[in-house]
Amino acid sequence: MKITDTIGSVLKRKGEITIQYIAPEQSVYEGLEMMARYDIGALLVCSNNRLVGILSERDYARKGVLKGHHSKETHVSEIMTSPVLFVSPQHTVDECMSMMTEHHFRHLPVLEHDKVVGVISIGDLVKWVISGQEQTIQDLHGYIVGAYPG
């Protein structure tokens, strides 16, 4: 597990995960309920089977609460982030970490041929990198104590 590995590899390792969507005309409150129910920090916003935005807890805090919008009276489209930056399964872990750091967001949709195939969080990427480092440490330890094959 290296930072040069593809996002496709990360998605395969995550396994089958249901992606949560919300429509732009739904209320922010409904979005918050979904995020709480599924213990997630963001929802993809889709209209006519196309990704049109992303709604995150940060969007709600900064564009909803701080601006005095009431979640039950505000449509998702009013506070969602749009347009959405996304990646393909061919992007690398390093590229995605750089993009997320530069743009200050924690969730990144993965699209292939205009179809959503997954969502990567900064937590997913950190876990990937840490797993790779743990494997390297084990290999080096084995080499030092003479257990290294070869």
Side-chain angles (χ1 to χ4, degrees):
M1 292 174 206
K2 304 175 293 278
I3 62 171
T4 55
D5 291 336
T6 66
I7 292 304
S9 299
V10 177
L11 288 175
K12 284 180 188 168
R13 175 100 185 221
K14 279 180 72 169
E16 190 66 34
I17 294 178
T18 304
I19 301 165
Q20 300 303 320
Y21 300 93
I22 192 164
E25 63 274 2
Q26 286 183 264
S27 74
V28 170
Y29 186 84
E30 290 173 284
L32 295 171
E33 282 184 320
M34 287 179 68
M35 285 188 248
R37 183 178 328 122
Y38 296 106
D39 193 27
I40 55 177
L43 295 168
L44 299 185
V45 184
C46 291
S47 179
N48 298 322
N49 294 321
R50 292 191 56 90
L51 181 65
V52 296
I54 190 166
L55 176 67
S56 69
E57 294 167 328
R58 185 177 284 180
D59 290 324
Y60 174 64
R62 294 182 180 178
K63 300 175 199 171
V65 175
L66 289 178
K67 293 190 177 182
H69 295 286
H70 298 283
S71 62
K72 290 185 178 181
E73 300 162 4
T74 304
H75 291 132
V76 168
S77 61
E78 295 176 60
I79 68 165
M80 69 183 187
T81 297
S82 182
V84 181
L85 291 179
F86 60 89
V87 294
S88 73
Q90 291 74 39
H91 278 84
T92 66
V93 169
D94 186 48
E95 289 171 326
C96 293
M97 289 182 88
S98 294
M99 185 183 298
M100 295 168 106
T101 301
E102 178 183 340
H103 296 285
H104 305 286
F105 52 74
R106 297 181 174 129
H107 300 88
L108 194 54
V110 183
L111 274 66
E112 191 166 39
H113 308 296
D114 292 328
K115 182 179 185 267
V116 176
V117 295
V119 177
I120 295 296
S121 71
I122 192 69
D124 296 330
L125 300 180
V126 169
K127 285 178 195 171
W128 186 267
V129 171
I130 289 171
S131 293
Q133 290 172 341
E134 288 172 347
Q135 183 61 49
T136 300
I137 290 167
Q138 288 175 3
D139 291 347
L140 289 170
H141 181 265
Y143 177 76
I144 290 168
V145 298
Y148 193 76

PDB file of all heavy atoms in Angstrom, residues 16-18 26 28 32 35 50 52 62-63 66 71 80 82 84-85 87 109 115 118 121 125 129 131-132 136 142 146:
ATOM      1  N   GLU A  16     -17.702  -3.429  -0.779  1.00  0.00           N
ATOM      2  CA  GLU A  16     -18.996  -2.929  -1.238  1.00  0.00           C
ATOM      3  C   GLU A  16     -19.588  -1.987  -0.190  1.00  0.00           C
ATOM      4  O   GLU A  16     -19.921  -2.399   0.907  1.00  0.00           O
ATOM      5  CB  GLU A  16     -19.957  -4.090  -1.492  1.00  0.00           C
ATOM      6  CG  GLU A  16     -21.229  -3.701  -2.201  1.00  0.00           C
ATOM      7  CD  GLU A  16     -21.002  -3.234  -3.632  1.00  0.00           C
ATOM      8  OE1 GLU A  16     -20.086  -3.756  -4.296  1.00  0.00           O
ATOM      9  OE2 GLU A  16     -21.738  -2.344  -4.080  1.00  0.00           O
ATOM     10  N   ILE A  17     -19.686  -0.730  -0.534  1.00  0.00           N
ATOM     11  CA  ILE A  17     -20.258   0.270   0.364  1.00  0.00           C
ATOM     12  C   ILE A  17     -21.340   1.017  -0.396  1.00  0.00           C
ATOM     13  O   ILE A  17     -21.130   1.444  -1.534  1.00  0.00           O
ATOM     14  CB  ILE A  17     -19.176   1.249   0.875  1.00  0.00           C
ATOM     15  CG1 ILE A  17     -18.193   0.498   1.763  1.00  0.00           C
ATOM     16  CG2 ILE A  17     -19.806   2.411   1.623  1.00  0.00           C
ATOM     17  CD1 ILE A  17     -17.052   1.325   2.289  1.00  0.00           C
ATOM     18  N   THR A  18     -22.494   1.170   0.220  1.00  0.00           N
ATOM     19  CA  THR A  18     -23.590   1.891  -0.398  1.00  0.00           C
ATOM     20  C   THR A  18     -23.307   3.389  -0.334  1.00  0.00           C
ATOM     21  O   THR A  18     -22.987   3.927   0.718  1.00  0.00           O
ATOM     22  CB  THR A  18     -24.921   1.578   0.317  1.00  0.00           C
ATOM     23  OG1 THR A  18     -25.121   0.171   0.302  1.00  0.00           O
ATOM     24  CG2 THR A  18     -26.077   2.272  -0.361  1.00  0.00           C
ATOM     25  N   GLN A  26     -34.429  18.516  -1.794  1.00  0.00           N
ATOM     26  CA  GLN A  26     -34.727  18.042  -0.447  1.00  0.00           C
ATOM     27  C   GLN A  26     -34.213  19.052   0.569  1.00  0.00           C
ATOM     28  O   GLN A  26     -33.345  19.882   0.277  1.00  0.00           O
ATOM     29  CB  GLN A  26     -34.107  16.671  -0.200  1.00  0.00           C
ATOM     30  CG  GLN A  26     -34.850  15.547  -0.914  1.00  0.00           C
ATOM     31  CD  GLN A  26     -34.248  14.199  -0.598  1.00  0.00           C
ATOM     32  OE1 GLN A  26     -33.431  13.694  -1.373  1.00  0.00           O
ATOM     33  NE2 GLN A  26     -34.632  13.618   0.537  1.00  0.00           N
ATOM     34  N   VAL A  28     -32.269  20.512   3.888  1.00  0.00           N
ATOM     35  CA  VAL A  28     -30.992  20.289   4.561  1.00  0.00           C
ATOM     36  C   VAL A  28     -31.215  19.389   5.776  1.00  0.00           C
ATOM     37  O   VAL A  28     -30.399  18.519   6.070  1.00  0.00           O
ATOM     38  CB  VAL A  28     -30.342  21.633   4.949  1.00  0.00           C
ATOM     39  CG1 VAL A  28     -29.139  21.427   5.852  1.00  0.00           C
ATOM     40  CG2 VAL A  28     -29.955  22.414   3.698  1.00  0.00           C
ATOM     41  N   LEU A  32     -29.181  16.103   6.933  1.00  0.00           N
ATOM     42  CA  LEU A  32     -28.556  15.914   8.239  1.00  0.00           C
ATOM     43  C   LEU A  32     -29.028  14.615   8.887  1.00  0.00           C
ATOM     44  O   LEU A  32     -28.237  13.898   9.516  1.00  0.00           O
ATOM     45  CB  LEU A  32     -28.853  17.108   9.149  1.00  0.00           C
ATOM     46  CG  LEU A  32     -28.249  18.441   8.703  1.00  0.00           C
ATOM     47  CD1 LEU A  32     -28.801  19.578   9.550  1.00  0.00           C
ATOM     48  CD2 LEU A  32     -26.740  18.392   8.751  1.00  0.00           C
ATOM     49  N   MET A  35     -27.129  11.810   7.198  1.00  0.00           N
ATOM     50  CA  MET A  35     -25.739  11.746   7.647  1.00  0.00           C
ATOM     51  C   MET A  35     -25.653  11.132   9.041  1.00  0.00           C
ATOM     52  O   MET A  35     -24.764  10.323   9.309  1.00  0.00           O
ATOM     53  CB  MET A  35     -25.102  13.137   7.625  1.00  0.00           C
ATOM     54  CG  MET A  35     -24.755  13.624   6.233  1.00  0.00           C
ATOM     55  SD  MET A  35     -23.795  15.145   6.284  1.00  0.00           S
ATOM     56  CE  MET A  35     -24.963  16.301   5.594  1.00  0.00           C
ATOM     57  N   ARG A  50     -27.310  12.471 -12.266  1.00  0.00           N
ATOM     58  CA  ARG A  50     -26.040  13.170 -12.481  1.00  0.00           C
ATOM     59  C   ARG A  50     -25.598  13.839 -11.182  1.00  0.00           C
ATOM     60  O   ARG A  50     -26.409  14.418 -10.471  1.00  0.00           O
ATOM     61  CB  ARG A  50     -26.170  14.233 -13.577  1.00  0.00           C
ATOM     62  CG  ARG A  50     -26.386  13.625 -14.959  1.00  0.00           C
ATOM     63  CD  ARG A  50     -26.245  14.649 -16.064  1.00  0.00           C
ATOM     64  NE  ARG A  50     -24.971  15.344 -16.055  1.00  0.00           N
ATOM     65  CZ  ARG A  50     -23.885  14.948 -16.703  1.00  0.00           C
ATOM     66  NH1 ARG A  50     -23.917  13.841 -17.402  1.00  0.00           N
ATOM     67  NH2 ARG A  50     -22.771  15.651 -16.652  1.00  0.00           N
ATOM     68  N   VAL A  52     -24.454  16.650  -9.072  1.00  0.00           N
ATOM     69  CA  VAL A  52     -24.541  18.112  -9.222  1.00  0.00           C
ATOM     70  C   VAL A  52     -23.940  18.859  -8.037  1.00  0.00           C
ATOM     71  O   VAL A  52     -23.776  20.073  -8.085  1.00  0.00           O
ATOM     72  CB  VAL A  52     -26.002  18.580  -9.457  1.00  0.00           C
ATOM     73  CG1 VAL A  52     -26.541  18.033 -10.771  1.00  0.00           C
ATOM     74  CG2 VAL A  52     -26.899  18.197  -8.284  1.00  0.00           C
ATOM     75  N   ARG A  62     -21.125  26.225   7.894  1.00  0.00           N
ATOM     76  CA  ARG A  62     -20.658  27.516   7.384  1.00  0.00           C
ATOM     77  C   ARG A  62     -21.679  28.262   6.534  1.00  0.00           C
ATOM     78  O   ARG A  62     -21.726  29.488   6.553  1.00  0.00           O
ATOM     79  CB  ARG A  62     -19.378  27.316   6.579  1.00  0.00           C
ATOM     80  CG  ARG A  62     -18.243  26.849   7.471  1.00  0.00           C
ATOM     81  CD  ARG A  62     -16.974  26.691   6.708  1.00  0.00           C
ATOM     82  NE  ARG A  62     -15.914  26.243   7.620  1.00  0.00           N
ATOM     83  CZ  ARG A  62     -14.702  25.978   7.229  1.00  0.00           C
ATOM     84  NH1 ARG A  62     -14.367  26.102   5.967  1.00  0.00           N
ATOM     85  NH2 ARG A  62     -13.806  25.582   8.105  1.00  0.00           N
ATOM     86  N   LYS A  63     -22.465  27.526   5.756  1.00  0.00           N
ATOM     87  CA  LYS A  63     -23.415  28.190   4.858  1.00  0.00           C
ATOM     88  C   LYS A  63     -24.847  28.139   5.368  1.00  0.00           C
ATOM     89  O   LYS A  63     -25.714  28.811   4.838  1.00  0.00           O
ATOM     90  CB  LYS A  63     -23.356  27.537   3.471  1.00  0.00           C
ATOM     91  CG  LYS A  63     -22.010  27.615   2.813  1.00  0.00           C
ATOM     92  CD  LYS A  63     -22.047  26.830   1.512  1.00  0.00           C
ATOM     93  CE  LYS A  63     -20.666  26.463   1.014  1.00  0.00           C
ATOM     94  NZ  LYS A  63     -20.747  25.527  -0.117  1.00  0.00           N
ATOM     95  N   LEU A  66     -24.339  29.471  10.287  1.00  0.00           N
ATOM     96  CA  LEU A  66     -23.724  30.788  10.455  1.00  0.00           C
ATOM     97  C   LEU A  66     -24.427  31.892   9.676  1.00  0.00           C
ATOM     98  O   LEU A  66     -24.303  33.064  10.013  1.00  0.00           O
ATOM     99  CB  LEU A  66     -22.238  30.747  10.071  1.00  0.00           C
ATOM    100  CG  LEU A  66     -21.340  29.988  11.041  1.00  0.00           C
ATOM    101  CD1 LEU A  66     -19.904  29.982  10.538  1.00  0.00           C
ATOM    102  CD2 LEU A  66     -21.402  30.579  12.444  1.00  0.00           C
ATOM    103  N   SER A  71     -32.583  24.610   8.840  1.00  0.00           N
ATOM    104  CA  SER A  71     -32.375  23.381   8.073  1.00  0.00           C
ATOM    105  C   SER A  71     -33.661  22.805   7.482  1.00  0.00           C
ATOM    106  O   SER A  71     -33.629  22.216   6.411  1.00  0.00           O
ATOM    107  CB  SER A  71     -31.660  22.330   8.923  1.00  0.00           C
ATOM    108  OG  SER A  71     -32.446  21.975  10.040  1.00  0.00           O
ATOM    109  N   MET A  80     -25.179  23.485  -0.831  1.00  0.00           N
ATOM    110  CA  MET A  80     -24.255  22.441  -1.281  1.00  0.00           C
ATOM    111  C   MET A  80     -23.046  23.061  -1.984  1.00  0.00           C
ATOM    112  O   MET A  80     -23.084  24.195  -2.453  1.00  0.00           O
ATOM    113  CB  MET A  80     -24.953  21.474  -2.234  1.00  0.00           C
ATOM    114  CG  MET A  80     -25.307  22.081  -3.577  1.00  0.00           C
ATOM    115  SD  MET A  80     -26.211  20.902  -4.587  1.00  0.00           S
ATOM    116  CE  MET A  80     -26.286  21.802  -6.135  1.00  0.00           C
ATOM    117  N   SER A  82     -20.875  23.183  -5.147  1.00  0.00           N
ATOM    118  CA  SER A  82     -21.027  22.884  -6.564  1.00  0.00           C
ATOM    119  C   SER A  82     -20.265  23.945  -7.359  1.00  0.00           C
ATOM    120  O   SER A  82     -20.303  25.118  -6.969  1.00  0.00           O
ATOM    121  CB  SER A  82     -22.509  22.898  -6.946  1.00  0.00           C
ATOM    122  OG  SER A  82     -22.676  22.564  -8.296  1.00  0.00           O
ATOM    123  N   VAL A  84     -18.603  20.086  -8.220  1.00  0.00           N
ATOM    124  CA  VAL A  84     -17.895  19.127  -7.375  1.00  0.00           C
ATOM    125  C   VAL A  84     -16.590  18.711  -8.046  1.00  0.00           C
ATOM    126  O   VAL A  84     -16.584  18.349  -9.225  1.00  0.00           O
ATOM    127  CB  VAL A  84     -18.753  17.858  -7.157  1.00  0.00           C
ATOM    128  CG1 VAL A  84     -18.041  16.874  -6.259  1.00  0.00           C
ATOM    129  CG2 VAL A  84     -20.101  18.209  -6.604  1.00  0.00           C
ATOM    130  N   LEU A  85     -15.514  18.787  -7.288  1.00  0.00           N
ATOM    131  CA  LEU A  85     -14.265  18.198  -7.768  1.00  0.00           C
ATOM    132  C   LEU A  85     -14.369  16.698  -7.557  1.00  0.00           C
ATOM    133  O   LEU A  85     -14.873  16.242  -6.533  1.00  0.00           O
ATOM    134  CB  LEU A  85     -13.075  18.752  -6.999  1.00  0.00           C
ATOM    135  CG  LEU A  85     -12.734  20.218  -7.245  1.00  0.00           C
ATOM    136  CD1 LEU A  85     -11.548  20.633  -6.394  1.00  0.00           C
ATOM    137  CD2 LEU A  85     -12.448  20.479  -8.704  1.00  0.00           C
ATOM    138  N   VAL A  87     -12.528  12.602  -8.861  1.00  0.00           N
ATOM    139  CA  VAL A  87     -11.396  11.893  -9.444  1.00  0.00           C
ATOM    140  C   VAL A  87     -11.905  10.631 -10.130  1.00  0.00           C
ATOM    141  O   VAL A  87     -13.062  10.248  -9.976  1.00  0.00           O
ATOM    142  CB  VAL A  87     -10.340  11.527  -8.377  1.00  0.00           C
ATOM    143  CG1 VAL A  87      -9.702  12.775  -7.805  1.00  0.00           C
ATOM    144  CG2 VAL A  87     -10.928  10.653  -7.291  1.00  0.00           C
ATOM    145  N   PRO A 109     -15.708  12.414  -4.495  1.00  0.00           N
ATOM    146  CA  PRO A 109     -16.397  11.417  -5.315  1.00  0.00           C
ATOM    147  C   PRO A 109     -15.459  10.827  -6.366  1.00  0.00           C
ATOM    148  O   PRO A 109     -14.566  11.508  -6.874  1.00  0.00           O
ATOM    149  CB  PRO A 109     -17.510  12.220  -6.000  1.00  0.00           C
ATOM    150  CG  PRO A 109     -17.634  13.481  -5.218  1.00  0.00           C
ATOM    151  CD  PRO A 109     -16.282  13.751  -4.652  1.00  0.00           C
ATOM    152  N   LYS A 115     -20.291   8.236 -14.137  1.00  0.00           N
ATOM    153  CA  LYS A 115     -21.061   7.469 -13.159  1.00  0.00           C
ATOM    154  C   LYS A 115     -20.276   7.405 -11.859  1.00  0.00           C
ATOM    155  O   LYS A 115     -19.077   7.101 -11.855  1.00  0.00           O
ATOM    156  CB  LYS A 115     -21.321   6.058 -13.689  1.00  0.00           C
ATOM    157  CG  LYS A 115     -22.162   5.202 -12.748  1.00  0.00           C
ATOM    158  CD  LYS A 115     -22.398   3.824 -13.353  1.00  0.00           C
ATOM    159  CE  LYS A 115     -23.322   3.017 -12.495  1.00  0.00           C
ATOM    160  NZ  LYS A 115     -22.663   2.171 -11.530  1.00  0.00           N
ATOM    161  N   GLY A 118     -17.798   5.488  -6.344  1.00  0.00           N
ATOM    162  CA  GLY A 118     -17.372   5.466  -4.951  1.00  0.00           C
ATOM    163  C   GLY A 118     -17.138   6.857  -4.415  1.00  0.00           C
ATOM    164  O   GLY A 118     -17.255   7.846  -5.130  1.00  0.00           O
ATOM    165  N   SER A 121     -12.751   9.206   1.430  1.00  0.00           N
ATOM    166  CA  SER A 121     -12.600  10.209   2.484  1.00  0.00           C
ATOM    167  C   SER A 121     -11.113  10.357   2.810  1.00  0.00           C
ATOM    168  O   SER A 121     -10.310   9.479   2.500  1.00  0.00           O
ATOM    169  CB  SER A 121     -13.372   9.810   3.742  1.00  0.00           C
ATOM    170  OG  SER A 121     -12.730   8.723   4.382  1.00  0.00           O
ATOM    171  N   LEU A 125      -7.804   7.489   2.954  1.00  0.00           N
ATOM    172  CA  LEU A 125      -6.456   7.655   2.422  1.00  0.00           C
ATOM    173  C   LEU A 125      -5.401   7.557   3.517  1.00  0.00           C
ATOM    174  O   LEU A 125      -4.346   6.950   3.319  1.00  0.00           O
ATOM    175  CB  LEU A 125      -6.348   8.985   1.680  1.00  0.00           C
ATOM    176  CG  LEU A 125      -7.305   9.136   0.483  1.00  0.00           C
ATOM    177  CD1 LEU A 125      -7.116  10.494  -0.177  1.00  0.00           C
ATOM    178  CD2 LEU A 125      -7.129   8.011  -0.516  1.00  0.00           C
ATOM    179  N   VAL A 129      -2.292   4.795   3.729  1.00  0.00           N
ATOM    180  CA  VAL A 129      -0.879   5.149   3.901  1.00  0.00           C
ATOM    181  C   VAL A 129      -0.311   4.495   5.162  1.00  0.00           C
ATOM    182  O   VAL A 129       0.789   3.937   5.139  1.00  0.00           O
ATOM    183  CB  VAL A 129      -0.701   6.691   3.939  1.00  0.00           C
ATOM    184  CG1 VAL A 129       0.710   7.077   4.340  1.00  0.00           C
ATOM    185  CG2 VAL A 129      -1.057   7.292   2.577  1.00  0.00           C
ATOM    186  N   SER A 131      -1.300   1.763   6.653  1.00  0.00           N
ATOM    187  CA  SER A 131      -1.151   0.313   6.422  1.00  0.00           C
ATOM    188  C   SER A 131       0.116   0.020   5.642  1.00  0.00           C
ATOM    189  O   SER A 131       0.822  -0.948   5.942  1.00  0.00           O
ATOM    190  CB  SER A 131      -2.361  -0.231   5.662  1.00  0.00           C
ATOM    191  OG  SER A 131      -3.508  -0.171   6.455  1.00  0.00           O
ATOM    192  N   GLY A 132       0.417   0.842   4.655  1.00  0.00           N
ATOM    193  CA  GLY A 132       1.644   0.668   3.890  1.00  0.00           C
ATOM    194  C   GLY A 132       2.877   0.870   4.744  1.00  0.00           C
ATOM    195  O   GLY A 132       3.861   0.120   4.637  1.00  0.00           O
ATOM    196  N   THR A 136       5.891  -1.846   5.737  1.00  0.00           N
ATOM    197  CA  THR A 136       7.315  -1.534   5.551  1.00  0.00           C
ATOM    198  C   THR A 136       8.082  -1.731   6.857  1.00  0.00           C
ATOM    199  O   THR A 136       9.170  -2.317   6.864  1.00  0.00           O
ATOM    200  CB  THR A 136       7.495  -0.084   5.048  1.00  0.00           C
ATOM    201  OG1 THR A 136       6.818   0.046   3.794  1.00  0.00           O
ATOM    202  CG2 THR A 136       8.952   0.281   4.886  1.00  0.00           C
ATOM    203  N   GLY A 142      11.851  -7.521  10.166  1.00  0.00           N
ATOM    204  CA  GLY A 142      12.207  -8.887   9.801  1.00  0.00           C
ATOM    205  C   GLY A 142      13.599  -8.969   9.213  1.00  0.00           C
ATOM    206  O   GLY A 142      14.365  -9.890   9.506  1.00  0.00           O
ATOM    207  N   GLY A 146      16.910 -10.875  10.988  1.00  0.00           N
ATOM    208  CA  GLY A 146      17.340 -12.037  10.222  1.00  0.00           C
ATOM    209  C   GLY A 146      16.222 -12.922   9.710  1.00  0.00           C
ATOM    210  O   GLY A 146      16.478 -14.009   9.237  1.00  0.00           O
TER     211      GLY A 146
END
